[in-house]
Amino acid sequence: MDQERYLFVETQGCQMNDSDSEKIAGLLAGHNYMPTADKEKADLIILNTCSVRNKAEHKVYSYLGTLRPYKEKKPELIIGVGGCVAQQKGESLLKRVPYLDIVFGTHNIHKLPELIDNARVRNERASETRFYEGEPEIFLDPVLARPADLGTGKVTGLVTVMLGCDNFCSYCIVPYVRGREISRPSADIIREIEGLVETGVKEVTLIGQNVNSYEGGVGEDTDFPSLLSEINSIDGLKRIRFMTSHPKDLSESLIDSFCSLSKLCEHTHLPVQSGSDIILERMNRGYSRDAYLKKVQALRGKSPEMAITSDIIVGFPGETDADFDDTMDMTERVRYDALFAFKYSPRPETRAAGMTDQVPEDIKERRLTALFDKQREISLEKNREYEGRIVEVLLEGRDPERLSGKSRAFKTVYLKGDERLVGETVMARITKGSANSLTGEII
Ligand code: SAH
Ligand code: SF4
Ligand code: F3S
C-alpha cells in the first residue's frame, strides 16, 4: 500500500466551484490523498479559480506567489490550478508560473488522478482544458463525487443539476469558461441526494447557472419543477433550495412549486443586474424592469414569506446617472432581503468589454457605495420586522458562544443551545434583527 498523501484545496468563486472542490476531494480520496487544512503538510495543493471579475485573476497570481516557499521547501509538492481562470488561460499559466505542475479546466476534473500521477512519477507538467460537452465524463459519478468530508457532521449539501450557460449576458465570462448548458440525468441527482441524506445531510441546494433550463439527461422528458417534486419526496431530507433562476425563465410552474412542495424553502435568488431598461437590453438579459417586478409580485403573491435576493452590476458601459437611479429605485421597490453588488469589470471575449462608453472607476465606486448604503438600511428594516416572530431554523454549526443556522428564508440565525442540536431543525423566537443576521431563542 502506498503511503498516505495529503491534499489542500483553496476555492475561489461561486457554488459551482465549492461543489467542484468537494468533488475533487472525494475523487482524490480514492487515490490516496486525504484532505488536510494544513498547507505545510500537503503533498498536493489545488487552487480552484474564478474569473468572473478582474480581481479574481489577480488573486490567482498572488495566491500562487504565496505557494512558492512551500515548493522550495518541499520540491516534491505538486501544485495544480483548476476552475474558470484555468479554463481561460490554460497553458499560459504554466509558462507564467514555472513551479506550477498542473492546469485543468472546468470539464477536466476526472483527468486529475492521471495528471497528478504523471507529475509525481515523471515530473510532467501539463494543461488539460478540453470541453467534454455531451460526454458523460463531465458529470462525475455521484458516488465518486461524494464529498470526502461527509459523514463528519455536514448538514447541508450542494448538488449539481446542470452545467454551463447558454445565455451570453454581454458582460459575463461564464459561458466561455463553463461551456454550453448540459442537464444531468435526474436519476443520478436523486441517487446523489439519497446518498447525502444517508450521511446526515438535511438540506440540499441544487446548483446551476440557470436551473430553469433544466431538462433532464439525454432522452429524458422532464423539467425543473418536476425534478423538485421528485426530490421533495426523498425521505429524511428536510429542505430544498436552488440557485440560480434567471428572471426571464422563472416560470409560473416553478412559482407554484413554492406552494405545493413542503420542503422547498421560501427564498429566491433572482439577479436583476440593473433597474434600467436600456442597460438590461445592452446586457442581453432578456427582460424589462416591469417584467421583473411582475415576477417578484407573483412570487410574493403566491408565497408571502418569500425572501428575495439579487445580484447587481454598477457601472456597466453607458450607465448614466439616470440609469443608476433606476437601479436604486428597483432596490427600493423590491426591498431585497440581501444584495450582492459588483463594479462592472470588462472580461475577455465578452461583448461589453468592447463597448466604447466604459464608466470611470470613481463613478463605479460612488454608485456601489450608494447602493450598499441603501441596501444596508433595507436589510436592517426587513430583519427588524422579524423581531417577535417565530421561525424554523436548521442548525448548521456552533462557535464557542452560540449555535448558528438558517431560517427557511435563508436568514442566518444565532441561538443559544447545546452543540448536540446541530443538524436539527428547531423553532425559534427572534429577539433581534441586524443588517446581516437574526438573533433569537429556541422555544
Ligand atoms: N448565472 C447567474 C450569475 C453567475 S455570475 C445569473 O445569471 O444570475 C455571478 C454574478 O457576478 C452575476 O450575477 C453578476 O452580478 C456578476 N458578474 C458577472 N460578470 C460580471 C462582470 N463582468 N463584472 C461585474 N460583475 C459581474
Ligand atoms: Fe453569466 Fe448571464 Fe449565464 Fe448568469 S445567465 S452565468 S450572468 S451569462
Ligand atoms: Fe466564477 Fe466560474 Fe463561478 S467564473 S462565478 S467560479 S462559474
Side-chain angles (χ1 to χ4, degrees), residues 52-54 57 171 343-348 350 352-354 358 364:
V52 83
R53 284 172 292 276
N54 229 341
E57 261 156 65
Y171 51 80
K343 286 188 281 185
Y344 167 73
S345 151
R347 307 282 63 218
T350 61
Q358 301 286 327
K364 289 184 195 169

Side-chain angles (χ1 to χ4, degrees), residues 71-85:
K71 185 88 168 191
E72 278 164 3
K73 224 162 93 190
K74 190 180 192 178
E76 70 276 18
L77 169 69
I78 298 170
I79 302 177
V81 175
C84 297
V85 176

Side-chain angles (χ1 to χ4, degrees), residues 212 224-225 228 242 245 250-258 264:
N212 240 11
F224 191 58
L228 285 173
F242 60 82
S245 179
L250 178 69
S251 66
E252 229 170 276
S253 79
L254 181 55
I255 296 176
D256 287 340
S257 303
F258 285 104
L264 188 59

